[in-house]
Amino acid sequence: MSDVFGRTPVGATRRKFIGISVATSGAIALAACSGDDDGGEVDLDAQSKGAMDDFAADEQFTATEAFNLSLLWTEWPELPITDSWRFFDEIEERTNVKLEITTIPFSDAVEKRSLLISAGDAPTVIPLIYTGDETSFVSSGAILPISDYVEHMPNFQKYVQEWDLADMIENLKQADGKYYMLPGLQEVSVPVFTLVVRKDVFESVAGGIPQTWDEMREALVKIKAAYPDSHPLADGFEAQSMLNYAAHAFGAQAGWGFGTGMMDDGSGKLQYTAVSAGYKEMVEYFRGLVADGLVDTESFTAANDGSGGGSVAEKFANETVFAASGSAGTAIEFAQGLNETVGPGNFEILQIAPPGGPAGQVCEPRNFWNGFMLNAEVADSEYFLATLQFLDWIYYNPEARELMRWGVLDETYTKDADGTITIKPEYSLDDYEINPDGETDIQEDLGWSNPVFADSTESRALKESYNTPTFVEYIDSVLATRTPRDPNPPAPLDELELEQASLLATPIKDTVDTNTLRFILGERDIAEWDDYVSELEAQGLATYVDLNNAARERFEEENS
C-alpha cells in the first residue's frame, strides 16, 4: 500500500498531526455548551491554527492552514483501501486536511481498537462508535469529553435541533454529566436490520405478510409444508440480529440491542432483561420454531466476518430459506442470488417492519447511528479548533454527507432541481445495485459510500437516494404501523461503579449468551429456567442490578 494516505499499520506509533499557525484575536476558552462545571479550557490563541474565523452551519470548511489528522479505519474484507480512491484526495482538496490512516480489520476491530486506546497509541479520530462503546474509556481519561466543545460545531447543533434529537443527546451523558462521543444523526429512524422475506412465497403460500410473530409462525409452517426440505427462517449473524429486533415485541432487549442488560421495569426502576418474563417468552417462542424445524439453526451459530449474508444468501437463492435477518443491502444481495437461480422477474423480495408481539406493534427506540470519539490528546493540539470544525463538516454538513455517499457533484452524479440524484452512466454503486453496467464502482474504485463515513448522519432524502423503492416503502411502513419503544432512562456509572460493574457484567452476560442459545436450540430444557436464573444470581446479578439502580437514582437527582 502506498504512503499516499499516510497510512500506518496497527501497532505502529501514533503519528502526531502537524501544521502551520494562523493568528487569531482574543484569548477565548472552548467551554461546555451544557453548562456542566467549567469543563476543559483551551486557549484559542494557541490552539486555533487552521480554524476558520466565521465557521457556520451548511458552509464549506476549509482549513486556513493545512494540517494532518490521524484516523482509525476499519477495513472490511471485501473493501480494502486502494491507491485509486478519490475519496482521500477530494477531502484534502476541499478542506486542506490530510487524513493519516491506521487500519484495523473488521474481524477483530473492537479488540484492536481497545488495545490501541489503552496503550495510548490510538489515532486522534476514532470512527464507527455506537452509543455505549465509549463508556469503558471514560474513567481513564483516554477520550475527550466532547460535550465540552460542541458549541463550536454549528452543523451538529443545527441538526440536533431540527431533527428533534436534543433529549436523546442528553441521554448520552456519563456520570460526570458530560458525553464522550458524538453519534451519527438520523432524520428518520427505523430498524436497520429486520426480516427480509420472499414476498411472492409468503403471499402465494402463507396468505400474506405476517404482522406479528404468531402470524410469522403460522406462515413458516405453511412454507415448510410446501417446501419440505426448507428451514424457512434464518439469521446469519449468530442470532444477534434476529433477537435484537424480535425482543422488543416481547418487551425485552436481546442480541445486538442487549446493551448493559438493564431496562425500565415500568415502575421507574431498572431490571435485568435476561431474567424478565418477556425475555423468557421470547426464548420459548424461538425454541418452538426450532423444535418444529422452522429455523436454519446453522445461521444462529455460524460466525459472521462482516462480508455479508454468506451461506444464508446461498440458501435464500436455493429456496431453503424464505425469511432472514438483513438490511437494505442484504435484500439486494438476496435478489442477486435469486436472479441466478429462479431468474429475474420470478420472485419478489421485501424488507418488512419487525413483527409485533405480546408487547404490541412496537420496534426499537429511535436511535442514532455510528459516530466518533476523540483521543483526549487532541485537546493539546494547536489544531484543536480546526479539528472540531473539520469533523463537524464531514459528519454533519449536508453537502459533505452527500459527498460521502455519492462522490463529486457533476463528476460522479447529477442532481435535479427537485433534489433527485442520478449516478452518471459511466459509474456504478454495486453495493446497492445502482447502474451495474457502469465501468467504475464509486465505492470499490473511488472510496465513496465507504462504511466508515457514509452511513453515519443521514437526512431522509439522502437515505432514500441510494435505496430501492421497496426500502422507501419499508420506512413508510415502520413509521405508519410501529411505535418506537421509549428509551431506557440513563443510569451512567461513576469510575468505581464501572470497575465493579465490569467485573460482574462480563461473566453474567457470558452465561446469558450461552444459555439463551442453548435454550433456543434445545440443548437445555426450558424447564431449567429457574436454575439458569439462580446461576446468574450466584454470579452477583442482584448486586449488578442494585448498582445500576443507584446510578439511575443519582443521575435523576443531579439532572432533574
Side-chain angles (χ1 to χ4, degrees), residues 23-220:
T24 58
S25 59
I28 306 169
L30 303 181
C33 71
S34 61
D36 299 315
D37 62 52
D38 57 3
E41 292 193 353
V42 178
D43 182 359
L44 281 187
D45 275 342
Q47 295 179 259
S48 60
K49 287 186 177 181
M52 295 174 62
D53 289 338
D54 299 312
F55 181 58
D58 301 332
E59 293 183 3
Q60 174 65 46
F61 167 78
T62 304
T64 57
E65 300 274 352
F67 68 99
N68 292 9
L69 184 62
S70 59
L71 180 139
L72 190 64
W73 190 281
T74 298
E75 198 162 55
W76 267 250
E78 74 279 17
L79 191 63
I81 297 174
T82 72
D83 285 329
S84 66
W85 277 18
R86 175 71 177 143
F87 175 83
F88 295 101
D89 295 333
E90 184 68 26
I91 288 174
E92 185 174 1
E93 289 173 12
R94 292 188 184 217
T95 68
N96 237 358
V97 177
K98 181 180 178 66
L99 295 177
E100 293 185 335
I101 303 301
T102 295
T103 57
I104 54 176
F106 174 90
S107 58
D108 57 355
V110 173
E111 179 184 357
K112 281 191 163 54
R113 181 178 69 200
S114 296
L115 290 173
L116 285 167
I117 295 171
S118 299
D121 291 331
T124 298
V125 184
I126 306 167
L128 290 176
I129 299 298
Y130 293 87
T131 54
D133 287 351
E134 79 282 13
T135 303
S136 61
F137 305 110
V138 169
S139 61
S140 68
I143 58 175
L144 187 79
I146 188 68
S147 59
D148 284 350
Y149 312 106
V150 292
E151 67 174 280
H152 300 277
M153 304 181 74
N155 289 289
F156 172 76
Q157 292 189 84
K158 176 179 179 179
Y159 291 101
V160 164
Q161 294 302 319
E162 285 193 5
W163 295 347
D164 194 23
L165 301 171
D167 289 344
M168 292 171 61
I169 292 293
E170 287 295 298
N171 284 347
L172 298 177
K173 287 181 177 179
Q174 300 294 320
D176 60 2
K178 305 178 186 218
Y179 45 91
Y180 289 74
M181 64 85 68
L182 288 186
L185 308 179
Q186 300 288 301
E187 183 178 12
V188 293
S189 178
V190 297
V192 175
F193 280 77
T194 183
L195 279 171
V196 179
V197 306
R198 274 284 298 273
K199 179 184 178 184
D200 56 311
V201 173
F202 271 83
E203 289 182 338
S204 64
V205 175
I209 303 300
Q211 296 300 312
T212 67
W213 283 105
D214 283 344
E215 291 178 6
M216 176 59 67
R217 188 186 191 288
E218 295 171 2
L220 295 173

Side-chain angles (χ1 to χ4, degrees), residues 422-541:
T422 304
I423 199 166
K424 285 204 162 186
E426 61 268 36
Y427 295 100
S428 69
L429 180 51
D430 293 346
D431 208 29
Y432 290 90
E433 212 172 33
I434 297 173
N435 195 35
D437 294 331
E439 295 181 2
T440 302
D441 182 353
I442 64 170
Q443 182 186 71
E444 183 177 350
D445 299 322
L446 303 179
W448 306 117
S449 278
N450 69 71
V452 175
F453 279 107
D455 299 331
S456 182
T457 292
E458 289 185 316
S459 65
R460 176 166 185 171
L462 181 59
K463 190 185 295 290
E464 292 181 354
S465 71
Y466 62 92
N467 277 296
T468 63
T470 56
F471 181 76
V472 176
E473 291 175 17
Y474 166 68
I475 294 176
D476 291 336
S477 172
V478 173
L479 295 178
T481 67
R482 300 293 184 265
T483 301
R485 294 177 72 189
D486 291 333
N488 289 321
L493 305 175
D494 63 28
E495 183 175 356
L496 180 59
E497 290 167 339
L498 278 170
E499 291 178 7
Q500 292 177 280
S502 65
L503 292 174
L504 293 167
T506 300
I508 291 173
K509 179 64 160 49
D510 288 345
T511 299
V512 169
D513 288 344
T514 299
N515 285 282
T516 297
L517 270 183
R518 289 185 68 205
F519 283 130
I520 289 173
L521 297 177
E523 296 170 1
R524 187 172 186 179
D525 197 312
I526 197 70
E528 296 180 18
W529 182 265
D530 289 344
D531 295 334
Y532 150 75
V533 173
S534 296
E535 290 161 14
L536 295 178
E537 291 173 344
Q539 291 178 297
L541 178 60

Side-chain angles (χ1 to χ4, degrees), residues 353-415:
Q361 298 299 96
V362 296
C363 62
E364 66 184 33
R366 191 178 179 191
N367 211 348
F368 295 121
W369 203 230
N370 63 71
F372 66 95
M373 57 188 182
L374 295 174
N375 187 322
E377 293 178 8
V378 71
D380 298 324
S381 167
E382 57 189 350
Y383 298 100
F384 182 48
L385 180 56
T387 297
L388 294 177
Q389 292 178 349
F390 169 77
L391 292 171
D392 183 57
W393 174 80
I394 199 169
Y395 271 95
Y396 304 111
N397 175 286
E399 288 189 7
R401 300 313 305 159
E402 194 171 293
L403 175 73
M404 296 300 101
R405 176 61 67 189
W406 287 105
V408 180
L409 180 63
D410 295 327
E411 181 179 306
T412 54
Y413 74 100
T414 59
K415 190 173 182 179

